[in-house]
Amino acid sequence: MFDGFWDNVSRYPRYLVTIILGVAINAFAPLAPLFKNPASAIALISLLFGVIFFTVFTLRAMLGLGTV
């Protein structure tokens, strides 16, 4: 009944990593051509940093981790 149980359970982390990488690749693949043009690359990088900073500042304010 439990033949290969731990072998089967040990496959789940690898499956999880595969799913996460697949989603990331499919999410960012359409953005790759934008890096060929310097103006759009700068705009895309600025947008990325803006989203990251907005998220960090919002979470810090919501959690009360420091002065904003």
Side-chain angles (χ1 to χ4, degrees):
M1 180 173 165
F2 291 105
D3 294 338
F5 174 75
W6 291 112
D7 185 43
N8 191 22
V9 169
S10 68
R11 292 181 187 161
Y12 283 103
R14 184 175 56 185
Y15 176 71
L16 178 66
V17 169
T18 304
I19 293 296
I20 291 172
L21 285 176
V23 168
I25 288 171
N26 283 317
F28 294 117
L31 301 176
L34 295 176
F35 284 106
K36 293 181 181 177
N37 184 0
S40 64
I42 291 171
L44 190 62
I45 291 172
S46 299
L47 179 68
L48 177 67
F49 279 125
V51 167
I52 289 171
F53 285 137
F54 176 76
T55 304
V56 167
F57 289 141
T58 302
L59 288 175
R60 288 180 62 88
M62 289 173 65
L63 297 173
L65 294 177
T67 58
V68 178

